[in-house]
Amino acid sequence: MEQVDHLVVGAGMSGLSYAVAIRDEARARGRGDPSVLVVERDHEPGGYCKTIVKDGFVWDYSGHFFHFKHSEIEAWLRERMPGQDVRTVVKRSFIRYAGRDIDFPFQKNIHQLPHDEFIACLYDFVFRDERAPRGSFLQMVHARFGASIAEKFLVPYNEKLYATDLDALDEDAMGRFFPHADLKDIVRNMRHPDPSSYNATFTYPRGGAIEYVRAFLRELDASPRASLSLGEQLVDIDLKKRVATTTKRTIGYGALVTSAPLPSVLEAAHVEHAREVFTWNKVLVFNLGFDDKGPRDVHWTYFPDRARRFYRVGNYDNIMGDPRMSLYVEIGARADETLDIDAERARVLDDLRAEGFVTTQRLVAEHHVVMNPAYVHITKGSLAETARTKALLEEGAVHPVGRYGGWTYCSIEDNIVETRALAARLSA
């Protein structure tokens, strides 16, 4: 049986970040490099940060744009991306509503709606019942913004995204990523537009999101006691003996850090849990390349209209300044929903034509992927069960991290911050 100091399950951003961070922590404490083994069930690293290059187009599995709050993390990554053209972009995003583009976020820009709808939104906002219950996401958006803002955008858009009953989601299901606004914000925005949000500025490399993954891989390759094994899946964890079994071997570990979906880790570790509280959606992503330019000066557009199949469309070409339209189109679906890819693609193209994204352009390249899980459903039940079961896992030195390991809503930068903090704690 092999023995390693740190076994890392998952070679996405979270796992690779931890593998590098634990080495750096050990070196900083003068202990030398620990032994680190990263296992990944796929045959290439990156997780959902994979990039596809096809017929001159560069696409990710979905739009993975980095919104850095920590300048030192951005600098660290850029130093390890030699020669890469990394663009820093001020976001231009809109909500397509009733044939017009409303600046994002909707609740701060209701003055851009048709006059009667603006009055309805403003009236419902001012005279909303602030004492109304807020225990669910659905109740929260009604209580905070009133019926009109909720039903014109916040409810239909998020129903399309999460593919679930919003009344089942916790009120804080989106955490800091949900754009709040008060009356002063709404009125001020009428005269002084303020597009600020958590992702108002983002960076993106010409080579795609995989370049961030490669930055970590370069560091991993430079660690003499670290290794990466692809095509190797976690099968079983013995928490008492601190032994993991994969499809290739048995491994004793000092610490096991995993970004795999929490329910699958609990199954592997034989931890009793309420399976029914862990639910999620899946997202079908179409990456579409066309022979000519389309809309300009827009990076992504949100679609609350239930008549449109997609909830969001992003323009890679406007980020990189390319002469041909390059889109990613996202469709939310239930985890158990059967998707007819050909029919979905035809529907998407029809909807893009109806919305004016496609006029005379011809589709010349295409890629699609189904991300399952995509967005986890954060409910009161999942929050309680996540906290309880993670404590049980940690007793056996198993540490779930990331969006799926932690069963949470977070950014990729959040994953890097989290895994660096975990490395510091385990090294102390």
Side-chain angles (χ1 to χ4, degrees), residues 211-227:
E211 296 299 334
Y212 291 110
V213 175
R214 289 172 178 158
F216 282 109
L217 289 173
R218 289 185 182 98
E219 286 297 302
L220 194 69
D221 288 344
S223 302
R225 300 192 67 205
S227 59

Side-chain angles (χ1 to χ4, degrees), residues 4-5 27 31 70 83 109 149 187 195 209 230 237 248 250 271 275 297:
V4 296
D5 296 321
R27 289 180 177 179
R31 298 174 185 165
H70 300 267
N109 292 289
I149 291 176
V187 175
L230 300 174
I237 305 172
K248 293 183 178 180
T250 302
V271 174
R275 295 175 181 83
D297 199 27

Side-chain angles (χ1 to χ4, degrees), residues 7 20 22 36 49-50 62 110 124 154 161 177 195 246 265 279 293-294 310 312 343 367 376:
L7 174 61
V20 172
I22 197 65
V36 180
C49 276
K50 292 184 179 67
S62 187
I110 56 175
D124 286 355
L154 294 173
L161 186 155
F177 301 94
T246 73
V265 176
T279 63
K293 195 74 173 173
F310 39 74
R312 181 167 58 183
H367 164 268
V376 305

Side-chain angles (χ1 to χ4, degrees), residues 119-384:
I119 295 300
C121 286
L122 187 60
Y123 181 91
D124 286 355
F125 179 82
V126 172
F127 293 101
R128 68 196 184 281
D129 182 2
E130 297 188 58
R131 297 170 299 175
R134 302 189 182 195
S136 74
F137 186 85
L138 181 64
Q139 290 174 332
M140 180 273 290
V141 297
H142 275 272
R144 289 188 71 100
F145 299 105
S148 291
I149 291 176
E151 295 302 326
K152 291 179 188 301
F153 176 68
L154 294 173
V155 171
Y157 175 78
N158 284 291
E159 283 182 345
K160 290 173 69 176
L161 186 155
Y162 284 108
T164 194
D165 178 4
L166 300 183
D167 210 27
L169 299 183
D170 183 74
E171 62 179 310
D172 199 32
M174 293 180 65
R176 69 179 176 88
F177 301 94
F178 185 86
H180 292 285
D182 59 22
L183 184 59
K184 286 185 177 180
D185 292 328
I186 293 171
V187 175
R188 185 185 300 111
N189 229 44
M190 297 178 189
R191 177 165 291 183
H192 303 290
D194 177 16
S196 62
S197 64
Y198 81 92
N199 58 359
T201 302
F202 63 91
T203 65
Y204 190 71
R206 176 163 289 280
I210 194 65
E211 296 299 334
Y212 291 110
V213 175
R214 289 172 178 158
F216 282 109
L217 289 173
R218 289 185 182 98
E219 286 297 302
L220 194 69
D221 288 344
S223 302
R225 300 192 67 205
S227 59
L228 168 63
S229 176
L230 300 174
E232 183 168 0
Q233 184 171 353
L234 178 70
V235 175
D236 186 85
I237 305 172
D238 187 324
L239 293 174
K240 291 184 178 179
K241 295 181 179 179
R242 300 192 178 184
V243 172
T245 303
T246 73
T247 49
K248 293 183 178 180
R249 52 188 146 175
T250 302
I251 309 160
Y253 62 83
L256 190 159
V257 174
T258 172
S259 59
L262 182 58
S264 67
V265 176
L266 296 173
E267 291 284 350
H270 311 285
V271 174
E272 289 294 325
H273 59 284
R275 295 175 181 83
E276 68 277 5
V277 307
F278 295 107
T279 63
W280 59 90
N281 79 339
K282 63 184 175 186
V283 170
L284 168 60
V285 181
F286 283 107
N287 291 309
L288 305 173
F290 296 85
D291 66 346
D292 201 0
K293 195 74 173 173
R296 301 171 185 267
D297 199 27
V298 55
H299 301 126
W300 55 88
T301 307
Y302 302 91
F303 291 86
D305 187 353
R306 292 184 175 92
R308 298 293 170 242
R309 186 67 175 112
F310 39 74
Y311 63 83
R312 181 167 58 183
V313 174
N315 292 70
Y316 284 111
D317 54 306
N318 291 334
I319 293 169
M320 302 309 299
D322 294 331
R324 299 185 297 173
M325 183 165 63
S326 177
L327 303 179
Y328 69 92
V329 180
E330 297 172 309
I331 298 169
R334 298 187 319 274
D336 61 354
E337 187 174 343
T338 300
L339 298 172
D340 181 331
I341 300 301
D342 290 337
E344 295 287 356
R345 183 189 303 105
R347 171 76 182 277
V348 161
L349 290 170
D350 285 344
D351 284 352
L352 287 172
R353 293 185 189 100
E355 293 293 346
F357 275 71
V358 176
T359 52
T360 60
Q361 300 93 339
R362 290 186 306 108
L363 182 67
V364 294
E366 180 265 342
H367 164 268
H368 70 269
V369 63
V370 176
M371 301 191 298
N372 188 14
Y375 292 94
V376 305
H377 295 154
I378 300 174
T379 66
K380 287 188 170 21
S382 75
L383 288 168

